[in-house]
Amino acid sequence: MKLSSKDTEIDNTIRASIYVLKAILIIAVIIGHSYFKYSGLVFWFHIPMFFIISGYLLCIPRIENILSWLKKKLKRYMIPYFSFYLLCFLSEGKISTKQFVKETIRVIYGGRIAGGVYWFITCLLISQIIIVFAENYISSKKHKYILYIAMIILAVIESVFFISKYIPPYPVYFNFPWNADVCLLAVPYIVLGYYGKEEITAYMKFCIRRNGSIGSNNKIKKTVPFVVSIFIVLMLLLLNHSGIYRYSFDMKYSYYTNPVLIIMIPCSIGIILTAISCFTVIKCNKFKNVLIKIGQSTMTIMYIHLMIRDFVMINVFGEQYPVILWVFLCCTAGICFDMIAGKFKWSRLLFNGR
């Protein structure tokens, strides 16, 4: 069925809004790795929301197409994974056989051992594979729900009984290859996005119509999630600031002890940021184009932002470097890197996996 011009416009706006949302999240990732006083707050939502978005965008292949899907995913994720790790290693100037062997073992084992943000890529890959097999080989929806809920329970049990909360950065008694244990929580996040596609799309369409002139929809019930989400987030911020309840969350180190808030907070902040993203696309034409570019380069920015911090910002400004300048340099460098890499077949393969 041919889409009308209005439907096409809404679909394009949704696509642009997702890029803007990803841009906001990658900026949050950068800020989270800075000295900023409240940087810990962004850990509440940035990585969980990236997993939820990946679920929203995930297309489950049929059984007969799983192998070709897996090859495509390995190419898309793992080639840039090794390429950026090698680039980072070479930029340190520690080019010795002993150091190279050590770093090679670290990057192959991955996870917390590899350091940086590399754990996210492998965890995302494993989680998507688990979901693809679960959706293809478990016919009962009830059994699927039981599996995903059980994973949340196991994730919280691991965090409560095996992760210390008293000595940052939450040292662990064991390190799983590729941070496979974090998949216990990453899978449910991705499933939220995958199963919630229709609801998320409907909410984004409502936000678009409310902010723009593409149709009209003023149902009050559609605004309830936004209002409730603001209330939840403000209440938690107030409790956190007053010291009544300190909420901490860090997926990399498997630290998540509240089984309710680990779902409620990313969803609540996600509802708020989705509305902001739609508003930006509709109302802020000049600003949205910059954010869309950033959103299209999130993976590259994620890989290089720590390298820019360690080898540029700290060397030039010291530990108290300007965070806004760092965000600007990371986003600009990421966009430029992708533009250059996209011009050549070999660099597009190495750094974009395409």
Side-chain angles (χ1 to χ4, degrees):
M1 185 176 71
K2 188 176 180 181
L3 294 175
S4 66
S5 59
K6 185 186 294 183
D7 290 332
T8 302
E9 188 177 355
I10 291 176
D11 289 343
N12 290 337
T13 306
I14 288 175
R15 192 176 298 110
S17 299
I18 292 172
Y19 281 127
V20 170
L21 180 57
K22 290 172 69 176
I24 294 171
L25 295 177
I26 197 62
I27 290 171
V29 169
I30 298 171
I31 294 173
H33 291 143
S34 72
Y35 69 88
F36 181 59
K37 183 178 179 181
Y38 300 106
S39 61
L41 298 179
V42 300
F43 283 82
W44 293 2
F45 65 90
H46 59 14
I47 296 300
M49 282 190 61
F50 268 124
F51 282 122
I52 293 171
I53 291 172
S54 74
Y56 178 79
L57 299 174
L58 180 64
C59 294
I60 302 292
R62 298 191 178 194
I63 294 176
E64 61 270 21
N65 297 324
I66 288 179
L67 186 58
S68 60
W69 174 88
L70 182 57
K71 289 179 180 178
K72 182 179 178 181
K73 286 295 179 179
L74 285 170
K75 176 183 175 183
R76 178 72 180 95
Y77 291 147
M78 298 312 297
I79 292 178
Y81 172 90
F82 287 108
S83 298
F84 276 107
Y85 200 97
L86 179 61
L87 180 64
C88 184
F89 168 71
L90 294 175
S91 68
E92 293 177 357
K94 301 175 182 177
I95 308 175
S96 66
T97 303
K98 182 179 179 180
Q99 187 67 20
F100 180 76
V101 171
K102 180 181 177 181
E103 292 299 321
T104 301
I105 293 172
R106 286 182 63 188
V107 71
I108 292 174
Y109 192 87
R112 304 176 187 98
I113 298 297
V117 297
Y118 295 91
W119 71 271
F120 172 79
I121 303 301
T122 53
C123 183
L124 176 62
L125 176 61
I126 296 172
S127 299
Q128 289 187 348
I129 292 172
I130 291 172
I131 293 170
V132 165
F133 276 90
E135 293 298 317
N136 273 287
Y137 288 99
I138 301 177
S139 57
S140 169
K141 272 198 171 184
K142 179 182 176 180
H143 292 162
K144 292 175 188 176
Y145 293 153
I146 291 173
L147 171 65
Y148 299 139
I149 292 171
M151 294 183 79
I152 296 175
I153 295 170
L154 289 174
V156 174
I157 289 173
E158 181 205 19
S159 185
V160 170
F161 292 102
F162 295 98
I163 309 297
S164 171
K165 66 178 180 179
Y166 298 108
I167 309 174
Y170 321 123
V172 294
Y173 301 109
F174 46 83
N175 289 298
F176 283 86
W178 288 20
N179 257 28
D181 60 320
V182 181
C183 294
L184 290 171
L185 188 57
V187 166
Y189 281 142
I190 297 173
V191 167
L192 276 175
Y194 179 70
Y195 281 180
K197 281 184 182 182
E198 290 186 9
E199 290 74 14
I200 294 171
T201 301
Y203 177 69
M204 293 183 77
K205 285 181 177 181
F206 166 74
C207 293
I208 291 166
R209 287 165 175 156
R210 192 170 183 83
N211 288 308
S213 57
I214 310 173
S216 60
N217 192 334
N218 293 314
K219 294 180 180 179
I220 296 176
K221 67 177 182 180
K222 293 281 188 177
T223 64
V224 172
F226 182 80
V227 175
V228 172
S229 296
I230 290 178
F231 176 77
I232 291 171
V233 173
L234 288 178
M235 284 300 297
L236 187 59
L237 287 172
L238 180 62
L239 292 171
N240 195 74
H241 180 72
S242 63
I244 296 174
Y245 178 73
R246 295 286 186 183
Y247 178 64
S248 296
F249 182 94
D250 193 326
M251 284 194 74
K252 178 180 179 179
Y253 293 100
S254 303
Y255 186 69
Y256 21 77
T257 57
N258 190 309
V260 176
L261 293 181
I262 60 177
I263 300 298
M264 184 182 294
I265 294 304
C267 290
S268 297
I269 297 179
I271 287 170
I272 296 169
L273 292 183
T274 298
I276 292 173
S277 300
C278 292
F279 175 84
T280 302
V281 171
I282 295 295
K283 298 293 185 180
C284 310
N285 287 327
K286 293 183 179 179
F287 192 47
K288 81 171 182 184
N289 293 329
V290 175
L291 289 176
I292 288 172
K293 284 289 185 182
I294 295 171
Q296 292 170 336
S297 301
T298 50
M299 201 67 81
T300 299
I301 295 170
M302 182 175 286
Y303 276 123
I304 68 173
H305 77 282
L306 292 178
M307 188 163 48
I308 294 174
R309 182 194 67 183
D310 296 338
F311 300 114
V312 178
M313 302 305 295
I314 292 178
N315 285 332
V316 175
F317 300 99
E319 294 292 337
Q320 298 297 313
Y321 54 86
V323 176
I324 295 178
L325 177 60
W326 181 37
V327 171
F328 173 78
L329 287 177
C330 290
C331 294
T332 303
I335 293 171
C336 293
F337 192 100
D338 271 355
M339 288 177 63
I340 296 171
K343 291 183 179 295
F344 307 98
K345 186 176 180 179
W346 63 270
S347 57
R348 191 163 58 246
L349 173 63
L350 287 176
F351 297 107
N352 298 131
R354 301 185 189 279

